[in-house]
Each structure stands twice: as structure tokens, then as C-alpha cells.
């Protein structure tokens, strides 16, 4: 029988976050206000905060480049789409043909690196569908058309812009000369606004076409080959200290070969900067890791120019010849390694070299004789093979620092916030005294509320931290609140954490590979997530130095891990048997040998479960997250036993405990990450965090005995009778966090307070004798924790106000579910 739920007392008021996470049960009568105190020491000197503290990370994911920030309106303009990019693609994807047309790859091409072109028959036409619902044009605005073409006997191209309702601009005619390839241009002025436009090119006589392009004249800063204005302006409005580019998984996946005849024109390559500069018609094409094509119209030169335009430090990432993102292979080719190292040296020369140097001259020819003042460069991204990565990283670093001693060379610590890869990588980085280590993690809101102190204990004399990718796995305001709480800890530790960027930056709503994302858009609009509003508030109110302060916390008594039990698989077929749950006194709560039916189990996930030969089997080897659960959500202090056998598929199996519902549980993931490691993950509101992990694989056809012992908040795990690991999930998810900084230019004290709970926080603030003006400027973000900004609604937006009750000691009530910045002038 289930044991009776224990009633746990909670001091003052419980928070919605703690209750949802199962850390604190809801009290019978929650109060509306909790009392706190903040004490500031203005005479003490806290950490200096660099101007580059907060930045942005741009990766071409979710069509962030083509169809996004890159302003080109024609999709597949060079007819290079391939099944290498996406199994559904053809060279005519996004084009329709009226008459005769075929894509040709022969010696008549435009150039060697632009392999395909279109052979268009006499009297025939092709029409491009653009991105999303079509090509977006606005009435009265100009659009520049261009095409590379040739025609043996001459041809007239008639170019039209239209939608289902009719023409969008007066048609243009382009006369193609008889001689070889040449670029032809025309300009349209839109007569109507439409998001459903189509660009059509018709030929009077047979012609060859390539690089069919349509650009809005009104790009960001009016740069040629430029950027979509509204998206670029959203980045610029953050005033980022740096721009990290171009990845991410784009950098360290696929072949490390170049795009040439010698390599067989490799399409699935790592992002290599030399592919992306020079005239756009000569730039290589590539398969994007995220399942589409990348044209490289937005390349290194454009990244450098954009960084300069918004006053941000450029921070490129280059391949280290160890693949990651699930590929996990070290490339053993010394000549290739030396070539990539030289490419990196050439990149620095391209950015910083004089116009008399080989690569500085190329930069100047592209329109920028002045250097870009590159000071930081990152080698590698999230490598899961730390030893192999670091052996190569050291060779890069030695060569870079020999040629450019001023350059900061950034390493990384793998793809997670903890675990064996993380620990090994950090040891290697510390021992080698690297400048900076890039950490990445995507965790639940609860994790961010629990780990505000993460960097408090980091070695002040060791490598600095670049938090290059982080997010709390959601775009609701509760995610922004958790991130804001965490950012107070980043600022408090600004002597260790030197750079930080939320990730990813962009998502086109019709082409999403990853979420959450900072800015969402389609072909006609863009909107800020709640997370964006948090980032902007911090990034535009950083301050120059931390002013030491302390605050009281939220009193609470953490209850035990409680919940039902579950079984699941991920891209694997597996069989379970002999499931038994007993309480701490040995009494049986659940026993199922599947000799009958599976009526005790509730199926809440995907996949296909059935009882077969006395086992409970999930038979679909492709299904993900196939959870079935049994028992009482009130169970706590119990032992779970199960026998599991992998039958087929990519991974192992998952055994869950502390199951509250479909979004809140713990599970032991055995043979996860393509059967390379095992870990315990905690899901809170659907967002998962890793609590403990180890390398390991699960064998197909072998029966494993799994035992999980839950006592209070302590969990011990046994595999085949041997202790595999243990952990205590006892850290409170503190909802009230604060930091105080000083703006050297204005003298303002900036009091930054996050109240991530459903009760207001009545707070006594002691400014430690500081002489201050009586009125503060206030910026507040507040709203329902589940609120999500969209194209049509913005429930989470900053509100500016003033507060006239400021003194050396005063009281301020911070609203429930809020981020509040008080800018207080010192006299």
C-alpha cells in the first residue's frame, strides 16, 4: 500500500517554482508577501565587469542565416540544393518550371565552386517561392534583382514579381548578350505589400542562369549583400559586447576537407572561413548540420562587418579536427591539421593584417582596408573527446600565440555542465593555463534557480570562463525569470565569468530545429521572446563594477523526492520484466512480472508497448520518449527494481522514479547519447538537467538488473548489483536573487532583483550609508510565469517608472514573478 504523504512545513511563503519542482509542497494558505532584506556595502570593491561581459551567439540554425538574417529573398538561388543537405531536396527545390528547364553540372558552369546552373528552354520560365509563405515586399520600397546569365544566340529575360492577386511591381526586361557569363541587374519598386510573392524569370530564347537574386534595397546600415534590417536591429538593440560565430555544431561536424576536386567536392563539411569570403558567386555551398543548405552568402566578412557596425567584439570559432554533436571522431591527418592551423593564422591576418599582406589585401578588396581588431578566437566547440581535442588545441594555440602573442585563444569544456568529459577537459585546461574555457549547458529553470552560486567557488587564478551557450529550455516568462536569477550570479562572479551569451539567437517559426530561441521571426515580422527582454535589460544596464551586497533567502524545508515509477525508451526497442517497488520497511508497493496484462501501467509517451512472453516490450525502435508509469505520485523513500533488455536501436533504456507527471520526473538514462554514456536526468516542466553522468554502453540482448534506492533526497543507483553512483538533490531552488553594480559614467547604483515566485517580495534595502537621490528610475519585467511573447501578443515587456521613496534605508516591494532594476543616483 502507498505510504501516507508526510506534511512538510514551509517558512513564510512557498514559491510556485519550488512547489512545481517538488522541492516544497504547497502550504495550506500561501501568503501574498514574503519579507526579505538586501544589505549593500558601497565602500567595498567588487569585481570589475568588462564591457564585453554579455554578447550574442549566432549560429545558422532554425534558418537563422538564409531565410533569416541574410536578406536574400530567393531560396536556392544557385540551384545547389542537394540530398546531401536534406533527403527531400532537389536542385529545383523552391522552384517551379513552366516549359523546359533542367539543372546542369558540367564544364559550362559559372565557376568551379559554383557547380550547378539552370538551362532554361526558349519560351520557358521558372518561379521561386522564397521562404515561409513567399517573398515579402512592401509597397513603395525598392528591390534589387540580379542574375548571372549567358545565351548562345542572345535572349531576353522577363522578370516579374507577383502573388495570387496579381503583380507586385512593374515587370523588367533584361537583354542577355551572346558572349559568356555576365551579371545582369534590374530594380523593382513594389506597388503593393505582400508576404506571398513569387519571383519569375522567363526566357525568350534558350539561356543559362545562375545566382538568381532579389535583395531589399533597405538592408541594415545599407550594406551590400546585407542583412535583414529588423533582425539586425534587434541584435543591435542589445548593445552586445561580442558576437560569437559561426557555431556551434556547424564548426565541428562533418568532413574537415575543403570544397575542391581533390576532396571530391565534399558537401558535408565543417564550416571553414575561406569558403565564405570573396564575391558571393564564387563562395562554396555546404550542407548545414541542421538539415538544410547554407549558401555562405552570409560569411566571415559579413560577420566582421556586422560586429563592427554594432560596436561588438568579433569572436570567431574554428574547427579543431575533432567532431562533436554526436559524431565524436578525432581526425588523424597531420597534413590536414597543419592546413587548418594555417587557415586560422590566415584568418587572423584577414581580420587584422595590413593591406600589404596577402589576406589583408583580400579584406581591403572586399571593401574594408582598415583592420577588424580581432583579439579573441575560439578553437573547437563542445568536443566530447577531451584528450584528443586538447592535443590538437595545444598545437593551434602554440602557432597562434607565436605569430600573434596578443591573441586570446579560447578552449572549451565539452557539451555539459558536469560529468567526466567536463572534469577531464577542465583539468587539461587548468594544467595548460589556457586563457579562457567555454562552457555550454541547457538546463531546466529549476537548475538555474538552484545553481546561482556555480561560479562562487571557481579558482580566481585559473582560466576565465566564457559561458558561450546557455538557456533554460523554454521561452515562457518563467524561463526568463530563472535565467535572470542566474545572471545575478554571473555578474557577482565577473572576475571569473568574462563573457556570456544566451543561445541560440534566432528561429524562423517555419523551420525550427531547436528551441528555445531568443528572437523569433517569419518572412514579414519578428518578435522578442521573454528571454530576450531579460537579456536586453541586463545587457543595457551592466555597470562597470560589482558593489558587494548580501540578501536573505526564502526560508523553506525541502521535502523528500516523491513520485511514481516509470519505464521508457529513446530510439530503441527494449523489454522490461520483474518490476518491484518496496517501501523503506520492505513492504511491497508494486510488483509486476507481466505474466498477465499491463493494466497497472499508464502510457503517456510515444511508441508501442505490449506484453510479450512475460515481458513488457516497447517495439518501435525509432520512437522517442515512450514513457509508461505506475504507482502513486505520493510515494517516497522506496526501492525500485527492474530487469531491462535492449532489443534493437540506437540507445539503451530509461528507468524513471519520482514521476509526478509527463513533464516532472527523474530517470536513469542508460546508454543515452547514441549509446555513449549513462546519466540521471531530472525533468522539471519538461526541461531536463543532468545530475550525474558516466561513460558507458548497453549491449543488445543482455538482461540488466537495475536497482534505484530513494531516501529523502538521496538516490543510490545499482547496475547488476554494483553501485553505479549516487547523488543528493537537496539544493533549494532559491527564487529571490539580487546583485548590485555601479555605473562609472553616471555614478548610478543599479540594484537588480529577481523575484521568481508567486508572492511579492517586500524588501528592506540598506544602502550602507551611501548618499543617494530620493528618486530612482525603475524598469520592471513582470507577468504570468507561463506567458509567451508571439507575433501578435507581447505580454512580457519592460515597463519604465520612477520610485520616490529612496533613502539610505528604504523598503521596496518587488512584484511576484518579476525582474526589477532600480537605477539610483549617488550624490
Amino acid at each position: 500500500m502507498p505510504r501516507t504523504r508526510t506534511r512538510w512545513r514551509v517558512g513564510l511563503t512557498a514559491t510556485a517554482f519550488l512547489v512545481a519542482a517538488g522541492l516544497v509542497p504547497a502550504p495550506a494558505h500561501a501568503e501574498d508577501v514574503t519579507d526579505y532584506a538586501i544589505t549593500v556595502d558601497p565602500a567595498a570593491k567588487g569585481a570589475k565587469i568588462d564591457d564585453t561581459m554579455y554578447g550574442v551567439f549566432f549560429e545558422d540554425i532554425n534558418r537563422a542565416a538564409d531565410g533569416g538574417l541574410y536578406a536574400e529573398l530567393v531560396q536556392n538561388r544557385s540551384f545547389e540544393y542537394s540530398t546531401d543537405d536534406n533527403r527531400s531536396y532537389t536542385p529545383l527545390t523552391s522552384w517551379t518550371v513552366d516549359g523546359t528547364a533542367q539543372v546542369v553540372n558540367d564544364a559550362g558552369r559559372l565557376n568551379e565552386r559554383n557547380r550547378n546552373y539552370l538551362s532554361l528552354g526558349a519560351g520557358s520560365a521558372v518561379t521561386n517561392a522564397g521562404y515561409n509563405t513567399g517573398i515579402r515586399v512592401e509597397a513603395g520600397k525598392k528591390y534589387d534583382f540580379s542574375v548571372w546569365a549567358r545565351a548562345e544566340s542572345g535572349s531576353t529575360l522577363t522578370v516579374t514579381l507577383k502573388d495570387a492577386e496579381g503583380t507586385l511591381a512593374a515587370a523588367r526586361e533584361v537583354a542577355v548578350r551572346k558572349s559568356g557569363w555576365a551579371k545582369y541587374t534590374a530594380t523593382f519598386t513594389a506597388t503593393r505589400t505582400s508576404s506571398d510573392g513569387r519571383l519569375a524569370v522567363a526566357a525568350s530564347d534558350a539561356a543559362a542562369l545562375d545566382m538568381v537574386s532579389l535583395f531589399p534595397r533597405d538592408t541594415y546600415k545599407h550594406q551590400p549583400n546585407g542583412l535583414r534590417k529588423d533582425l539586425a536591429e534587434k541584435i543591435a538593440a542589445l548593445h552586445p559586447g561580442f558576437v560569437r560565430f559561426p557555431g556551434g555544431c556547424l564548426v565541428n561536424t562533418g568532413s574537415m576537407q575543403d570544397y575542391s576536386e581533390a576532396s571530391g567536392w565534399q558537401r558535408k563539411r565543417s564550416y571553414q572561413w575561406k569558403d565564405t569570403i570573396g564575391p558571393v558567386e564564387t563562395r562554396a555551398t555546404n550542407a548545414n548540420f541542421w538539415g538544410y543548405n547554407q549558401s555562405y552568402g552570409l560569411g566571415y566578412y559579413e560577420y566582421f562587418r556586422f560586429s563592427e557596425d554594432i560596436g561588438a567584439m568579433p569572436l570567431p570559432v574554428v574547427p579543431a579536427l575533432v567532431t562533436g554533436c554526436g559524431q565524436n571522431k578525432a581526425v588523424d591527418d597531420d597534413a590536414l591539421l597543419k592546413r587548418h592551423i594555417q587557415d586560422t593564422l590566415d584568418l587572423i591576418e584577414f581580420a587584422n593584417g595590413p593591406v600589404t599582406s596577402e589576406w589583408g589585401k583580400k579584406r581591403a578588396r572586399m571593401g574594408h582596408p582598415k583592420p577588424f581588431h580581432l583579439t579573441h578566437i575560439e578553437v573547437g566547440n563542445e568536443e566530447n573527446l577531451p584528450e584528443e581535442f586538447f592535443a590538437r588545441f595545444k598545437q593551434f594555440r602554440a602557432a597562434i600565440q607565436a605569430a600573434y602573442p596578443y591573441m586570446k585563444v579560447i578552449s572549451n569544456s565539452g557539451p555539459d555542465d558536469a560529468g567526466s568529459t567536463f572534469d577531464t577537459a577542465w583539468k587539461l585546461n587548468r594544467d595548460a593555463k589556457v586563457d579562457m574555457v567555454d562552457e555550454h549547458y541547457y538546463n531546466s529553470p529549476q537548475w538555474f534557480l538552484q545553481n546561482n552560486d556555480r561560479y562562487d567557488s571557481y579558482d580566481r587564478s585559473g582560466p576565465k570562463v566564457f559561458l558561450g551557450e546557455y538557456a533554460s529550455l523554454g521561452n515562457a516568462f518563467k524561463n526568463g525569470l530563472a535565467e535572470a536569477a542566474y545572471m545575478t550570479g554571473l555578474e557577482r562572479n565577473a572576475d571569473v565569468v568574462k563573457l556570456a551569451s544566451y543561445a541560440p539567437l534566432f528561429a524562423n517559426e517555419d523551420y525550427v530545429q531547436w528551441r528555445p530561441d531568443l528572437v523569433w521571426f517569419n518572412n514579414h515580422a519578428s518578435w522578442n521572446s521573454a528571454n530576450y527582454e531579460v537579456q536586453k535589460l541586463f545587457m543595457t544596464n551592466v555597470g562597470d563594477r560589482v558593489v558587494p551586497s548580501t540578501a536573505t533567502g526564502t526560508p523553506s524545508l525541502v521535502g523528500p523526492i516523491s513520485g511514481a515509477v516509470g519505464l521508457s525508451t529513446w530510439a530503441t526497442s527494449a523489454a522490461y520484466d520483474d518490476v518491484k517497488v518496496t517501501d523503506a520497511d520492505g513492504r511491497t508497493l508494486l510488483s509486476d512480472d507481466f505474466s498477465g496484462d499491463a493494466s497497472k501501467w499508464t502510457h503517456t509517451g510515444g511508441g508501442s508497448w505490449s506484453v510479450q512472453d512475460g515481458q513488457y516490450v516497447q517495439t518501435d525502435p525509432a520512437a522517442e520518449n515512450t514513457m509508461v508509469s505506475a504507482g502513486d505520485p505520493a510515494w517516497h523513500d522506496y526501492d525500485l527494481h527492474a530487469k531491462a533488455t535492449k532489443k534493437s536501436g540506437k540507445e539503451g533504456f530509461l528507468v524513471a522514479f519520482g514521476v509526478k507527471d509527463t513533464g516532472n520526473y527523474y530517470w536513469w538514462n542508460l546508454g543515452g547519447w547514441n549509446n555513449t554514456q549513462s546519466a540521471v536526468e531530472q525533468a522539471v516542466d519538461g526541461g531536463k538537467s543532468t545530475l550525474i553522468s558516466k561513460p558507458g554502453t548497453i549491449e543488445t540482448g543482455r538482461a540488466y538488473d537495475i536497482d534505484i534506492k530513494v531516501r529523502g533526497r538521496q538516490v543510490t543507483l545499482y547496475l547488476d548489483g554494483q553501485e553505479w553512483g549516487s547523488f543528493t538533490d537537496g539544493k533549494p531552488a532559491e527564487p529571490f536573487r539580487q546583485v548590485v553594480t555601479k555605473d562609472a559614467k553616471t555614478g548610478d547604483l543599479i540594484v537588480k532583483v529577481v523575484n521568481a515566485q508567486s508572492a511579492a517580495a517586500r524588501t528592506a534595502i540598506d544602502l550602507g550609508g551611501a548618499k543617494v537621490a530620493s528618486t530612482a528610475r525603475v524598469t520592471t519585467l513582470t507577468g504570468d510565469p507561463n506567458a509567451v511573447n508571439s507575433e501578435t501578443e507581447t505580454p512580457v515587456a519592460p515597463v519604465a517608472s520612477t520610485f520616490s521613496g529612496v533613502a539610505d534605508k528604504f523598503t521596496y516591494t518587488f512584484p511576484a514573478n518579476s525582474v526589477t532594476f532600480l537605477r539610483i543616483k549617488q550624490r
Side-chain angles (χ1 to χ4, degrees), residues 273-274 335-349 358-359 396 399-400 404:
W273 78 272
K274 288 180 180 177
L336 188 59
L337 175 62
K338 284 182 169 60
R339 193 268 285 174
H340 274 268
I341 291 172
Q342 185 59 50
D343 281 356
T344 303
L345 298 175
D346 293 343
L347 170 60
I348 299 170
E349 184 180 293
E358 177 185 359
W359 292 97
F396 275 89
I400 293 168
Y404 303 99

Side-chain angles (χ1 to χ4, degrees), residues 566-576 601 603-610 616-629 643-656 665 667-673 681 688 698 706:
L567 311 171
S568 191
T569 61
W570 198 286
T572 305
S573 172
Y576 288 94
W601 298 84
H603 185 191
T604 55
S608 179
W609 289 86
S610 60
Y616 200 19
V617 185
Q618 197 292 110
T619 55
D620 184 348
E624 299 178 347
N625 201 10
T626 66
M627 179 87 82
V628 292
S629 60
K643 192 178 287 290
T645 305
K646 173 182 176 177
K647 297 177 75 68
S648 65
K650 295 179 180 178
E651 304 207 343
F653 31 75
L654 304 109
V655 179
Y665 55 84
W667 66 20
W668 188 4
N669 185 349
L670 288 142
W673 296 270
E681 298 176 281
K688 289 196 286 290
I698 293 298
I706 297 163

Side-chain angles (χ1 to χ4, degrees), residues 30-51:
E31 298 174 6
D32 294 328
V33 179
T34 303
D35 287 315
Y36 294 91
I38 296 174
T39 304
V40 183
D41 186 355
K45 207 171 186 181
K48 180 182 181 296
I49 306 175
D50 295 341
D51 292 340

Side-chain angles (χ1 to χ4, degrees), residues 15 50 119 149 170 175 282 295 330 458 460 519 529 571 604 606 696 784:
T15 76
D50 295 341
S119 176
T282 67
S295 72
Y458 270 50
R460 269 43 206 170
V519 176
S529 67
T604 55
D784 186 289

Side-chain angles (χ1 to χ4, degrees), residues 43 90 160 168 238 289 345 362 441 552 569 733:
T90 74
T160 57
L168 293 169
L238 295 170
F289 174 81
L345 298 175
K362 292 180 186 294
Y441 37 83
T552 54
T569 61

Side-chain angles (χ1 to χ4, degrees), residues 385-387 390 419-430:
L385 303 171
E387 300 276 3
F390 207 74
S420 58
T421 295
F422 179 89
D423 292 340
T424 301
W426 256 105
K427 183 178 188 310
L428 292 166
N429 286 311
R430 273 194 301 268

Side-chain angles (χ1 to χ4, degrees), residues 224-237:
N225 194 47
L227 306 181
R228 180 172 148 175
K229 193 173 182 180
D230 62 324
L231 297 184
E233 286 176 343
K234 286 188 182 302
I235 304 176

